[in-house]
Amino acid sequence: MGEFFFYDIILKVFVFVALIIFISLFFITAPYGRHTKSGWGPMINSRLGWLIMESPASLMMFLYFIIGTRTTTVTLAALLIVWQIHYLHRSFIYPFQIRSNTKMPVSIMFSAVFFNIVNTYIQGRWLFSLSPDSAYSSEWIYDPRFIAGMLIFVIGFYINKKADFILRRLRKPDESGYKIPGGWLYEYISCPNYFGEMLEWLGWAIATWSFAGLFFFIWTVANLAPRAVSNHAWYREKFPDYPSKRKALLPLLY
Ligand SMILES: NC(=O)c1ccc[n+]([C@@H]2O[C@H](COP(=O)([O-])OP(=O)(O)OC[C@H]3O[C@@H](n4cnc5c(N)ncnc54)[C@H](OP(=O)(O)O)[C@@H]3O)[C@@H](O)[C@H]2O)c1
């Protein structure tokens, strides 16, 4: 039995786990940020927590690239670059941009570390070793699926970053507390940052045209759709004047 046998089992088991997480998160909101509460064990500074939990995704992808058995094509290079742009930012820049003094439970941080280790294994081993020889040849960059996927990724990245930027600007450097965000996509939904993040990994799934890519999209929806519902309900409860027409995650729909 080769690695692919175990890889395939891990992928299937974790799709099932994603389904359980998706349902559970509608009942238990992950206790970080505005939903932080006590009773989840030791806490860690949020900035450090973000750095520790996201950096394995960047570092391990480099490792899988280095030990990979595929010849590096322009397609693989492009996929590696967009992955690293996302994760170098999320691990090493985003934590120092946030204007937040909250702490997160160490248990939440470790569950995210665990997810990033599994997910990066699924993505990295697929791209650089386990995929069919011809899957990511240089010709793949001209395929409409690759072009459309990359375009969706870039649009999602832009939306995610702009939405997070707008949230940051709600607080002055030493301020804490929450305000009603407004303008741009916030006029339609409470969580455009999550909407953008979901688009990014939808684009990744299309550009890689793989179960590995789909796996990441499924996990992103499983994490962020219930959290968007919780954030939306939280805004409505905290701010009686919260815009009533605003949806949680999908403009005009949901
Ligand atoms: N791929 C995935 O599965 C996944 C999972 C989780 C997160 N993410 C991404 O990670 C990033 C952060 O996620 P998050 O859940 O922490 O997002 P979030 O709850 O929207 O918070 C983002 C930042 O903005 C601040 N903030 C939020 N709402 C605010 C308001 N109304 N007034 C003032 N400040 C406000 C938060 O401060 P506080 O910390 O003080 O609340 C935090 O620093 C997002 O881009 C998200 O897409 C991805």
Side-chain angles (χ1 to χ4, degrees), residues 112-141:
V113 168
F114 180 65
F115 166 72
N116 277 320
I117 288 174
V118 172
N119 185 43
T120 311
Y121 170 75
I122 296 288
Q123 309 303 320
R125 288 303 283 165
W126 174 258
L127 288 180
F128 302 118
S129 296
L130 299 176
S131 53
D133 280 335
S134 59
Y136 303 111
S137 66
S138 295
E139 285 73 53
W140 180 247
I141 54 162

Side-chain angles (χ1 to χ4, degrees), residues 2-252:
E3 182 184 350
F4 190 77
F5 177 79
F6 295 103
Y7 174 93
D8 197 44
I9 291 176
I10 293 173
L11 197 146
K12 284 173 182 152
V13 167
F14 275 87
V15 167
F16 181 66
V17 174
L19 189 67
I20 295 171
I21 296 279
F22 176 67
I23 295 166
S24 309
L25 287 178
F26 282 104
F27 300 98
I28 307 163
T29 305
Y32 72 88
R34 80 194 73 203
H35 303 288
T36 301
K37 45 171 120 113
S38 56
W40 284 73
M43 308 287 277
I44 185 169
N45 173 282
S46 287
R47 277 178 228 284
L48 190 57
W50 276 102
L51 193 147
I52 294 173
M53 67 190 186
E54 298 295 316
S55 51
S58 170
L59 302 177
M60 284 179 60
M61 193 59 114
F62 275 129
L63 175 73
Y64 291 130
F65 170 64
I66 290 164
I67 65 171
T69 51
R70 293 269 163 277
T71 310
T72 307
T73 60
V74 65
T75 313
L76 281 174
L79 289 167
L80 179 64
I81 287 169
V82 297
W83 178 276
Q84 292 298 354
I85 287 175
H86 175 93
Y87 274 111
L88 285 172
H89 175 271
R90 182 63 52 73
S91 317
F92 303 111
I93 298 175
Y94 178 78
F96 302 100
Q97 289 180 319
I98 51 176
R99 292 178 178 175
S100 175
N101 295 317
T102 54
K103 293 186 171 209
M104 67 169 70
V106 172
S107 53
I108 291 289
M109 182 193 80
F110 276 124
S111 62
V113 168
F114 180 65
F115 166 72
N116 277 320
I117 288 174
V118 172
N119 185 43
T120 311
Y121 170 75
I122 296 288
Q123 309 303 320
R125 288 303 283 165
W126 174 258
L127 288 180
F128 302 118
S129 296
L130 299 176
S131 53
D133 280 335
S134 59
Y136 303 111
S137 66
S138 295
E139 285 73 53
W140 180 247
I141 54 162
Y142 302 110
D143 191 288
R145 289 165 289 183
F146 183 81
I147 295 168
M150 286 303 229
L151 200 62
I152 293 169
F153 183 96
V154 169
I155 293 169
F157 184 84
Y158 173 75
I159 291 176
N160 175 262
K161 295 296 160 281
K162 180 161 175 173
D164 276 342
F165 174 77
I166 291 173
L167 286 182
R168 276 200 297 281
R169 291 273 299 263
L170 291 175
R171 288 177 185 157
K172 296 196 178 73
D174 297 327
E175 240 178 14
S176 57
Y178 296 89
K179 297 172 190 169
I180 300 178
W184 195 57
L185 287 178
Y186 283 101
E187 294 303 311
Y188 304 97
I189 48 176
S190 295
C191 304
N193 50 350
Y194 296 171
F195 175 63
E197 183 97 24
M198 281 170 34
L199 279 184
E200 279 182 61
W201 302 114
L202 172 66
W204 177 265
I206 295 170
T208 60
W209 206 251
S210 62
F211 285 113
L214 185 62
F215 173 90
F216 195 2
F217 177 60
I218 289 171
W219 265 92
T220 305
V221 174
N223 267 320
L224 295 184
R227 192 165 182 86
V229 171
S230 302
N231 286 1
H232 188 63
W234 178 92
Y235 273 126
R236 288 190 152 178
E237 196 185 314
K238 187 167 175 71
F239 300 105
D241 54 339
Y242 197 68
S244 59
K245 290 209 170 115
R246 199 174 289 187
K247 303 286 184 190
L249 182 62
L250 302 176
L252 309 173

